[in-house]
Amino acid sequence: GAVVSQHPSWVICKSGTSVKIECRSLDFQATTMFWYRQFPKQSLMLMATSNEGSKATYEQGVEKDKFLINHASLTLSTLTVTSAHPEDSSFYICSARDMRGYNEQFFGPGTRLTVL
Amino acid sequence: AQSVTQLDSQVPVFEEAPVELRCNYSSSVSVYLFWYVQYPNQGLQLLLKYLSGSTLVKGINGFEAEFNKSQTSFHLRKPSVHISDTAEYFCAVSGNDYKLSFGAGTTVTVRA
């Protein structure tokens, strides 16, 4: 149980295009999902908290117009990187918190984004 | 706000030897503590967590950790490592907002 999937697992795009990454909780409902960014050999940095049915909460320094987050249902959150540039290349990981209130986040396998 | 310091960036260890990964945290409120493992190009897998109760926490794959409030530490241990334990290990802390703050990570390399 408690499986989180991400799609795609990797994506290569041209500079200036937009890329959408999906995060799904497969066997539980998640009122809250989190988006993280991880650079090579570094730790995870929280980008934003996604709440079902409401606007996402972004961490300081994260451009909300560049990283659009939509939490449309209790099992799906999407992250869209708009007008991507090479510096947006990174490993993006989502996590989901079970709405039953367990204090544990379940992580997706990550999406490797490369912007050329 | 919470923060985490992992004191060792790299830990080389021989197979079947014990290993300890050190983690210290700072927080002004009650904390929940976690250890995660990450294999290359994968997401994070929870090894163990401390929410409340017994300060000695046992996790998966033979790992355990001890919560020490007076020393604000949550060190991870395994008495005998395997080659398959080679991975990146992250200590994390959260408060009641469920946001996780991660340490910088410790790379464990197990050698035969």
PDB file of all heavy atoms in Angstrom, chain B residues 12-39:
ATOM      1  N   PRO B  12      32.409   5.433   4.411  1.00  0.00           N
ATOM      2  CA  PRO B  12      32.792   4.151   3.814  1.00  0.00           C
ATOM      3  C   PRO B  12      32.822   3.088   4.898  1.00  0.00           C
ATOM      4  O   PRO B  12      33.257   3.352   6.022  1.00  0.00           O
ATOM      5  CB  PRO B  12      34.193   4.447   3.276  1.00  0.00           C
ATOM      6  CG  PRO B  12      34.724   5.513   4.178  1.00  0.00           C
ATOM      7  CD  PRO B  12      33.539   6.300   4.672  1.00  0.00           C
ATOM      8  N   VAL B  13      32.362   1.902   4.578  1.00  0.00           N
ATOM      9  CA  VAL B  13      32.307   0.837   5.590  1.00  0.00           C
ATOM     10  C   VAL B  13      32.458  -0.511   4.887  1.00  0.00           C
ATOM     11  O   VAL B  13      32.024  -0.687   3.749  1.00  0.00           O
ATOM     12  CB  VAL B  13      30.985   0.919   6.382  1.00  0.00           C
ATOM     13  CG1 VAL B  13      29.777   0.816   5.461  1.00  0.00           C
ATOM     14  CG2 VAL B  13      30.929  -0.100   7.488  1.00  0.00           C
ATOM     15  N   PHE B  14      33.078  -1.437   5.603  1.00  0.00           N
ATOM     16  CA  PHE B  14      33.243  -2.777   5.053  1.00  0.00           C
ATOM     17  C   PHE B  14      31.989  -3.610   5.302  1.00  0.00           C
ATOM     18  O   PHE B  14      31.275  -3.430   6.306  1.00  0.00           O
ATOM     19  CB  PHE B  14      34.471  -3.470   5.643  1.00  0.00           C
ATOM     20  CG  PHE B  14      35.770  -2.949   5.100  1.00  0.00           C
ATOM     21  CD1 PHE B  14      36.582  -2.122   5.874  1.00  0.00           C
ATOM     22  CD2 PHE B  14      36.177  -3.256   3.813  1.00  0.00           C
ATOM     23  CE1 PHE B  14      37.781  -1.625   5.379  1.00  0.00           C
ATOM     24  CE2 PHE B  14      37.367  -2.763   3.302  1.00  0.00           C
ATOM     25  CZ  PHE B  14      38.170  -1.937   4.090  1.00  0.00           C
ATOM     26  N   GLU B  15      31.748  -4.530   4.400  1.00  0.00           N
ATOM     27  CA  GLU B  15      30.604  -5.426   4.532  1.00  0.00           C
ATOM     28  C   GLU B  15      30.661  -6.172   5.855  1.00  0.00           C
ATOM     29  O   GLU B  15      31.739  -6.578   6.302  1.00  0.00           O
ATOM     30  CB  GLU B  15      30.598  -6.408   3.358  1.00  0.00           C
ATOM     31  CG  GLU B  15      29.318  -7.206   3.199  1.00  0.00           C
ATOM     32  CD  GLU B  15      29.318  -8.070   1.955  1.00  0.00           C
ATOM     33  OE1 GLU B  15      30.412  -8.329   1.409  1.00  0.00           O
ATOM     34  OE2 GLU B  15      28.234  -8.480   1.523  1.00  0.00           O
ATOM     35  N   GLU B  16      29.515  -6.304   6.485  1.00  0.00           N
ATOM     36  CA  GLU B  16      29.303  -6.973   7.767  1.00  0.00           C
ATOM     37  C   GLU B  16      29.811  -6.153   8.959  1.00  0.00           C
ATOM     38  O   GLU B  16      29.692  -6.598  10.101  1.00  0.00           O
ATOM     39  CB  GLU B  16      29.931  -8.376   7.775  1.00  0.00           C
ATOM     40  CG  GLU B  16      29.309  -9.321   6.750  1.00  0.00           C
ATOM     41  CD  GLU B  16      29.871 -10.729   6.820  1.00  0.00           C
ATOM     42  OE1 GLU B  16      30.676 -11.006   7.724  1.00  0.00           O
ATOM     43  OE2 GLU B  16      29.508 -11.548   5.970  1.00  0.00           O
ATOM     44  N   ALA B  17      30.343  -4.997   8.723  1.00  0.00           N
ATOM     45  CA  ALA B  17      30.729  -4.109   9.827  1.00  0.00           C
ATOM     46  C   ALA B  17      29.527  -3.272  10.244  1.00  0.00           C
ATOM     47  O   ALA B  17      28.586  -3.108   9.475  1.00  0.00           O
ATOM     48  CB  ALA B  17      31.872  -3.203   9.387  1.00  0.00           C
ATOM     49  N   PRO B  18      29.561  -2.726  11.472  1.00  0.00           N
ATOM     50  CA  PRO B  18      28.468  -1.841  11.902  1.00  0.00           C
ATOM     51  C   PRO B  18      28.637  -0.449  11.308  1.00  0.00           C
ATOM     52  O   PRO B  18      29.739  -0.047  10.928  1.00  0.00           O
ATOM     53  CB  PRO B  18      28.629  -1.805  13.421  1.00  0.00           C
ATOM     54  CG  PRO B  18      30.090  -2.038  13.632  1.00  0.00           C
ATOM     55  CD  PRO B  18      30.528  -2.967  12.540  1.00  0.00           C
ATOM     56  N   VAL B  19      27.528   0.281  11.251  1.00  0.00           N
ATOM     57  CA  VAL B  19      27.583   1.650  10.760  1.00  0.00           C
ATOM     58  C   VAL B  19      26.684   2.531  11.611  1.00  0.00           C
ATOM     59  O   VAL B  19      25.646   2.077  12.119  1.00  0.00           O
ATOM     60  CB  VAL B  19      27.158   1.733   9.271  1.00  0.00           C
ATOM     61  CG1 VAL B  19      25.678   1.454   9.116  1.00  0.00           C
ATOM     62  CG2 VAL B  19      27.510   3.095   8.679  1.00  0.00           C
ATOM     63  N   GLU B  20      27.113   3.770  11.806  1.00  0.00           N
ATOM     64  CA  GLU B  20      26.286   4.754  12.493  1.00  0.00           C
ATOM     65  C   GLU B  20      26.298   6.037  11.686  1.00  0.00           C
ATOM     66  O   GLU B  20      27.357   6.549  11.320  1.00  0.00           O
ATOM     67  CB  GLU B  20      26.798   5.034  13.909  1.00  0.00           C
ATOM     68  CG  GLU B  20      25.963   6.110  14.620  1.00  0.00           C
ATOM     69  CD  GLU B  20      26.450   6.434  16.026  1.00  0.00           C
ATOM     70  OE1 GLU B  20      27.450   7.161  16.139  1.00  0.00           O
ATOM     71  OE2 GLU B  20      25.811   5.975  16.987  1.00  0.00           O
ATOM     72  N   LEU B  21      25.131   6.568  11.411  1.00  0.00           N
ATOM     73  CA  LEU B  21      24.992   7.837  10.703  1.00  0.00           C
ATOM     74  C   LEU B  21      24.419   8.842  11.694  1.00  0.00           C
ATOM     75  O   LEU B  21      23.366   8.603  12.284  1.00  0.00           O
ATOM     76  CB  LEU B  21      24.063   7.678   9.498  1.00  0.00           C
ATOM     77  CG  LEU B  21      24.401   6.550   8.524  1.00  0.00           C
ATOM     78  CD1 LEU B  21      23.456   6.591   7.335  1.00  0.00           C
ATOM     79  CD2 LEU B  21      25.841   6.612   8.069  1.00  0.00           C
ATOM     80  N   ARG B  22      25.110   9.972  11.819  1.00  0.00           N
ATOM     81  CA  ARG B  22      24.726  10.924  12.843  1.00  0.00           C
ATOM     82  C   ARG B  22      23.815  12.018  12.312  1.00  0.00           C
ATOM     83  O   ARG B  22      24.022  12.526  11.193  1.00  0.00           O
ATOM     84  CB  ARG B  22      25.983  11.538  13.453  1.00  0.00           C
ATOM     85  CG  ARG B  22      26.862  10.515  14.189  1.00  0.00           C
ATOM     86  CD  ARG B  22      28.114  11.163  14.742  1.00  0.00           C
ATOM     87  NE  ARG B  22      29.007  11.632  13.686  1.00  0.00           N
ATOM     88  CZ  ARG B  22      30.043  12.424  13.907  1.00  0.00           C
ATOM     89  NH1 ARG B  22      30.314  12.866  15.138  1.00  0.00           N
ATOM     90  NH2 ARG B  22      30.825  12.792  12.903  1.00  0.00           N
ATOM     91  N   CYS B  23      22.851  12.368  13.134  1.00  0.00           N
ATOM     92  CA  CYS B  23      21.882  13.403  12.772  1.00  0.00           C
ATOM     93  C   CYS B  23      21.546  14.208  14.011  1.00  0.00           C
ATOM     94  O   CYS B  23      21.196  13.652  15.052  1.00  0.00           O
ATOM     95  CB  CYS B  23      20.615  12.765  12.204  1.00  0.00           C
ATOM     96  SG  CYS B  23      19.255  13.920  11.931  1.00  0.00           S
ATOM     97  N   ASN B  24      21.666  15.519  13.895  1.00  0.00           N
ATOM     98  CA  ASN B  24      21.235  16.429  14.952  1.00  0.00           C
ATOM     99  C   ASN B  24      20.193  17.379  14.390  1.00  0.00           C
ATOM    100  O   ASN B  24      20.251  17.763  13.219  1.00  0.00           O
ATOM    101  CB  ASN B  24      22.422  17.224  15.513  1.00  0.00           C
ATOM    102  CG  ASN B  24      23.300  16.371  16.402  1.00  0.00           C
ATOM    103  OD1 ASN B  24      24.264  15.775  15.939  1.00  0.00           O
ATOM    104  ND2 ASN B  24      22.945  16.291  17.657  1.00  0.00           N
ATOM    105  N   TYR B  25      19.257  17.761  15.229  1.00  0.00           N
ATOM    106  CA  TYR B  25      18.192  18.640  14.756  1.00  0.00           C
ATOM    107  C   TYR B  25      18.059  19.832  15.686  1.00  0.00           C
ATOM    108  O   TYR B  25      18.544  19.811  16.820  1.00  0.00           O
ATOM    109  CB  TYR B  25      16.861  17.879  14.686  1.00  0.00           C
ATOM    110  CG  TYR B  25      16.318  17.503  16.052  1.00  0.00           C
ATOM    111  CD1 TYR B  25      15.443  18.345  16.729  1.00  0.00           C
ATOM    112  CD2 TYR B  25      16.703  16.314  16.670  1.00  0.00           C
ATOM    113  CE1 TYR B  25      14.970  18.026  17.988  1.00  0.00           C
ATOM    114  CE2 TYR B  25      16.231  15.995  17.931  1.00  0.00           C
ATOM    115  CZ  TYR B  25      15.370  16.835  18.587  1.00  0.00           C
ATOM    116  OH  TYR B  25      14.910  16.516  19.828  1.00  0.00           O
ATOM    117  N   SER B  26      17.407  20.844  15.186  1.00  0.00           N
ATOM    118  CA  SER B  26      17.062  21.984  16.026  1.00  0.00           C
ATOM    119  C   SER B  26      15.605  22.326  15.761  1.00  0.00           C
ATOM    120  O   SER B  26      15.147  22.309  14.611  1.00  0.00           O
ATOM    121  CB  SER B  26      17.956  23.188  15.722  1.00  0.00           C
ATOM    122  OG  SER B  26      17.732  23.650  14.427  1.00  0.00           O
ATOM    123  N   SER B  27      14.892  22.593  16.834  1.00  0.00           N
ATOM    124  CA  SER B  27      13.482  22.926  16.700  1.00  0.00           C
ATOM    125  C   SER B  27      13.001  23.566  17.984  1.00  0.00           C
ATOM    126  O   SER B  27      13.470  23.212  19.069  1.00  0.00           O
ATOM    127  CB  SER B  27      12.657  21.675  16.410  1.00  0.00           C
ATOM    128  OG  SER B  27      11.278  21.990  16.412  1.00  0.00           O
ATOM    129  N   SER B  28      12.056  24.452  17.835  1.00  0.00           N
ATOM    130  CA  SER B  28      11.487  25.109  19.007  1.00  0.00           C
ATOM    131  C   SER B  28      10.170  24.470  19.444  1.00  0.00           C
ATOM    132  O   SER B  28       9.603  24.843  20.452  1.00  0.00           O
ATOM    133  CB  SER B  28      11.255  26.596  18.699  1.00  0.00           C
ATOM    134  OG  SER B  28      10.403  26.728  17.586  1.00  0.00           O
ATOM    135  N   VAL B  29       9.740  23.482  18.671  1.00  0.00           N
ATOM    136  CA  VAL B  29       8.469  22.821  18.987  1.00  0.00           C
ATOM    137  C   VAL B  29       8.675  21.310  18.955  1.00  0.00           C
ATOM    138  O   VAL B  29       9.758  20.828  18.658  1.00  0.00           O
ATOM    139  CB  VAL B  29       7.371  23.219  17.988  1.00  0.00           C
ATOM    140  CG1 VAL B  29       7.084  24.704  18.085  1.00  0.00           C
ATOM    141  CG2 VAL B  29       7.782  22.843  16.574  1.00  0.00           C
ATOM    142  N   SER B  30       7.608  20.595  19.234  1.00  0.00           N
ATOM    143  CA  SER B  30       7.696  19.137  19.164  1.00  0.00           C
ATOM    144  C   SER B  30       8.042  18.712  17.754  1.00  0.00           C
ATOM    145  O   SER B  30       7.596  19.317  16.789  1.00  0.00           O
ATOM    146  CB  SER B  30       6.359  18.524  19.582  1.00  0.00           C
ATOM    147  OG  SER B  30       6.074  18.854  20.907  1.00  0.00           O
ATOM    148  N   VAL B  31       8.833  17.674  17.655  1.00  0.00           N
ATOM    149  CA  VAL B  31       9.298  17.267  16.338  1.00  0.00           C
ATOM    150  C   VAL B  31       8.952  15.820  16.056  1.00  0.00           C
ATOM    151  O   VAL B  31       8.727  15.015  16.958  1.00  0.00           O
ATOM    152  CB  VAL B  31      10.820  17.449  16.194  1.00  0.00           C
ATOM    153  CG1 VAL B  31      11.199  18.907  16.288  1.00  0.00           C
ATOM    154  CG2 VAL B  31      11.566  16.609  17.235  1.00  0.00           C
ATOM    155  N   TYR B  32       8.890  15.548  14.785  1.00  0.00           N
ATOM    156  CA  TYR B  32       8.796  14.189  14.297  1.00  0.00           C
ATOM    157  C   TYR B  32      10.049  13.956  13.453  1.00  0.00           C
ATOM    158  O   TYR B  32      10.423  14.808  12.652  1.00  0.00           O
ATOM    159  CB  TYR B  32       7.533  14.013  13.464  1.00  0.00           C
ATOM    160  CG  TYR B  32       6.281  14.462  14.170  1.00  0.00           C
ATOM    161  CD1 TYR B  32       5.655  15.652  13.806  1.00  0.00           C
ATOM    162  CD2 TYR B  32       5.728  13.714  15.201  1.00  0.00           C
ATOM    163  CE1 TYR B  32       4.507  16.077  14.454  1.00  0.00           C
ATOM    164  CE2 TYR B  32       4.593  14.127  15.864  1.00  0.00           C
ATOM    165  CZ  TYR B  32       3.981  15.315  15.483  1.00  0.00           C
ATOM    166  OH  TYR B  32       2.861  15.734  16.129  1.00  0.00           O
ATOM    167  N   LEU B  33      10.688  12.818  13.627  1.00  0.00           N
ATOM    168  CA  LEU B  33      11.977  12.581  13.001  1.00  0.00           C
ATOM    169  C   LEU B  33      11.927  11.355  12.105  1.00  0.00           C
ATOM    170  O   LEU B  33      11.262  10.365  12.430  1.00  0.00           O
ATOM    171  CB  LEU B  33      13.056  12.404  14.070  1.00  0.00           C
ATOM    172  CG  LEU B  33      13.341  13.667  14.876  1.00  0.00           C
ATOM    173  CD1 LEU B  33      13.953  13.331  16.220  1.00  0.00           C
ATOM    174  CD2 LEU B  33      14.265  14.596  14.092  1.00  0.00           C
ATOM    175  N   PHE B  34      12.651  11.434  11.008  1.00  0.00           N
ATOM    176  CA  PHE B  34      12.598  10.393   9.995  1.00  0.00           C
ATOM    177  C   PHE B  34      14.000  10.118   9.433  1.00  0.00           C
ATOM    178  O   PHE B  34      14.852  11.016   9.388  1.00  0.00           O
ATOM    179  CB  PHE B  34      11.704  10.822   8.816  1.00  0.00           C
ATOM    180  CG  PHE B  34      10.326  11.259   9.205  1.00  0.00           C
ATOM    181  CD1 PHE B  34      10.080  12.540   9.665  1.00  0.00           C
ATOM    182  CD2 PHE B  34       9.254  10.382   9.097  1.00  0.00           C
ATOM    183  CE1 PHE B  34       8.808  12.954  10.026  1.00  0.00           C
ATOM    184  CE2 PHE B  34       7.970  10.783   9.449  1.00  0.00           C
ATOM    185  CZ  PHE B  34       7.751  12.071   9.914  1.00  0.00           C
ATOM    186  N   TRP B  35      14.184   8.900   9.002  1.00  0.00           N
ATOM    187  CA  TRP B  35      15.348   8.537   8.176  1.00  0.00           C
ATOM    188  C   TRP B  35      14.823   7.917   6.881  1.00  0.00           C
ATOM    189  O   TRP B  35      13.977   7.010   6.921  1.00  0.00           O
ATOM    190  CB  TRP B  35      16.260   7.530   8.883  1.00  0.00           C
ATOM    191  CG  TRP B  35      17.273   8.154   9.795  1.00  0.00           C
ATOM    192  CD1 TRP B  35      17.214   8.285  11.153  1.00  0.00           C
ATOM    193  CD2 TRP B  35      18.531   8.737   9.406  1.00  0.00           C
ATOM    194  NE1 TRP B  35      18.345   8.894  11.632  1.00  0.00           N
ATOM    195  CE2 TRP B  35      19.171   9.182  10.587  1.00  0.00           C
ATOM    196  CE3 TRP B  35      19.189   8.907   8.182  1.00  0.00           C
ATOM    197  CZ2 TRP B  35      20.436   9.795  10.575  1.00  0.00           C
ATOM    198  CZ3 TRP B  35      20.438   9.510   8.179  1.00  0.00           C
ATOM    199  CH2 TRP B  35      21.040   9.947   9.359  1.00  0.00           C
ATOM    200  N   TYR B  36      15.361   8.434   5.766  1.00  0.00           N
ATOM    201  CA  TYR B  36      15.005   7.919   4.456  1.00  0.00           C
ATOM    202  C   TYR B  36      16.267   7.416   3.759  1.00  0.00           C
ATOM    203  O   TYR B  36      17.373   7.924   3.987  1.00  0.00           O
ATOM    204  CB  TYR B  36      14.386   9.016   3.584  1.00  0.00           C
ATOM    205  CG  TYR B  36      13.012   9.461   4.005  1.00  0.00           C
ATOM    206  CD1 TYR B  36      12.843  10.515   4.905  1.00  0.00           C
ATOM    207  CD2 TYR B  36      11.877   8.847   3.486  1.00  0.00           C
ATOM    208  CE1 TYR B  36      11.579  10.931   5.284  1.00  0.00           C
ATOM    209  CE2 TYR B  36      10.604   9.265   3.863  1.00  0.00           C
ATOM    210  CZ  TYR B  36      10.476  10.300   4.752  1.00  0.00           C
ATOM    211  OH  TYR B  36       9.213  10.713   5.127  1.00  0.00           O
ATOM    212  N   VAL B  37      16.064   6.468   2.834  1.00  0.00           N
ATOM    213  CA  VAL B  37      17.158   5.993   1.995  1.00  0.00           C
ATOM    214  C   VAL B  37      16.787   6.272   0.544  1.00  0.00           C
ATOM    215  O   VAL B  37      15.612   6.185   0.159  1.00  0.00           O
ATOM    216  CB  VAL B  37      17.441   4.491   2.212  1.00  0.00           C
ATOM    217  CG1 VAL B  37      16.231   3.638   1.860  1.00  0.00           C
ATOM    218  CG2 VAL B  37      18.647   4.035   1.382  1.00  0.00           C
ATOM    219  N   GLN B  38      17.801   6.679  -0.231  1.00  0.00           N
ATOM    220  CA  GLN B  38      17.578   6.939  -1.649  1.00  0.00           C
ATOM    221  C   GLN B  38      18.631   6.200  -2.468  1.00  0.00           C
ATOM    222  O   GLN B  38      19.829   6.417  -2.278  1.00  0.00           O
ATOM    223  CB  GLN B  38      17.642   8.445  -1.952  1.00  0.00           C
ATOM    224  CG  GLN B  38      17.338   8.777  -3.400  1.00  0.00           C
ATOM    225  CD  GLN B  38      17.405  10.274  -3.705  1.00  0.00           C
ATOM    226  OE1 GLN B  38      18.224  10.985  -3.145  1.00  0.00           O
ATOM    227  NE2 GLN B  38      16.536  10.752  -4.591  1.00  0.00           N
ATOM    228  N   TYR B  39      18.154   5.372  -3.377  1.00  0.00           N
ATOM    229  CA  TYR B  39      19.045   4.697  -4.310  1.00  0.00           C
ATOM    230  C   TYR B  39      19.150   5.556  -5.571  1.00  0.00           C
ATOM    231  O   TYR B  39      18.265   6.374  -5.841  1.00  0.00           O
ATOM    232  CB  TYR B  39      18.527   3.294  -4.606  1.00  0.00           C
ATOM    233  CG  TYR B  39      18.468   2.430  -3.360  1.00  0.00           C
ATOM    234  CD1 TYR B  39      17.267   2.213  -2.702  1.00  0.00           C
ATOM    235  CD2 TYR B  39      19.626   1.872  -2.827  1.00  0.00           C
ATOM    236  CE1 TYR B  39      17.210   1.449  -1.546  1.00  0.00           C
ATOM    237  CE2 TYR B  39      19.579   1.103  -1.666  1.00  0.00           C
ATOM    238  CZ  TYR B  39      18.378   0.905  -1.034  1.00  0.00           C
ATOM    239  OH  TYR B  39      18.328   0.161   0.119  1.00  0.00           O
TER     240      TYR B  39
END
